[in-house]
Amino acid sequence: DVQLQASGGGLVHTGGSLTLSCVASGFRFDDYAVGWFRQAPGKERVGVSCITKRDFRTQYIDAVKGRFTISRDNAKNMVYLQMKDLKPEDTAVYYCAAESLGTCRSAYDYWGQGTLVTVSS
């Protein structure tokens, strides 16, 4: 079975840091781009960051540039999202997802369950 398992969420104060992890199984992980998305209460889910399959190119939305870092370890089927200088507006459920074209430019094929990040002011 295809699975994406996100973890690492929690409660932090403004300015704090967290690292989210996503472990994949059931598909050829290194053939996929992997993205992180988030959904804040009462809002739509939005893409936050993505890393491509081959050259590990990364993308970020403006709101997290300079604060979040995405990385992957294909040997472990893992993707990470290091988050620092967290702000209350980063509060959301974070999801990881895999995209089969590997480019971060197409629809995502597989989704994991979310992990909640809460940033208190």
Side-chain angles (χ1 to χ4, degrees), residues 6-109:
S7 62
L11 173 65
V12 296
H13 293 296
T14 297
S17 300
L18 280 174
T19 296
L20 305 183
S21 300
C22 175
V23 59
S25 62
F27 63 99
R28 191 177 176 91
F29 179 75
D30 52 2
D31 279 347
Y32 285 70
V34 181
W36 285 97
F37 293 74
R38 68 186 182 187
Q39 186 167 19
K43 296 187 177 180
E44 294 187 353
R45 185 170 61 192
V46 298
V48 173
S49 181
C50 185
I51 186 165
T52 61
K53 68 175 182 178
R54 295 188 184 278
D55 50 10
F56 290 18
R57 290 186 182 182
T58 58
Q59 300 174 6
Y60 302 93
I61 57 172
D62 287 345
V64 307
K65 282 181 180 177
R67 299 189 297 120
F68 289 13
T69 302
I70 190 171
S71 60
R72 66 189 294 165
D73 183 343
N74 284 352
K76 297 181 179 179
N77 284 9
M78 296 286 294
V79 173
Y80 306 96
L81 187 68
Q82 295 176 285
M83 308 184 294
K84 64 180 183 181
D85 191 22
L86 284 161
K87 305 175 181 182
E89 52 263 42
D90 295 317
T91 294
V93 177
Y94 285 72
Y95 302 86
C96 57
E99 181 242 74
S100 60
L101 288 185
T103 63
C104 298
R105 297 178 181 178
S106 185
Y108 285 75
D109 301 86

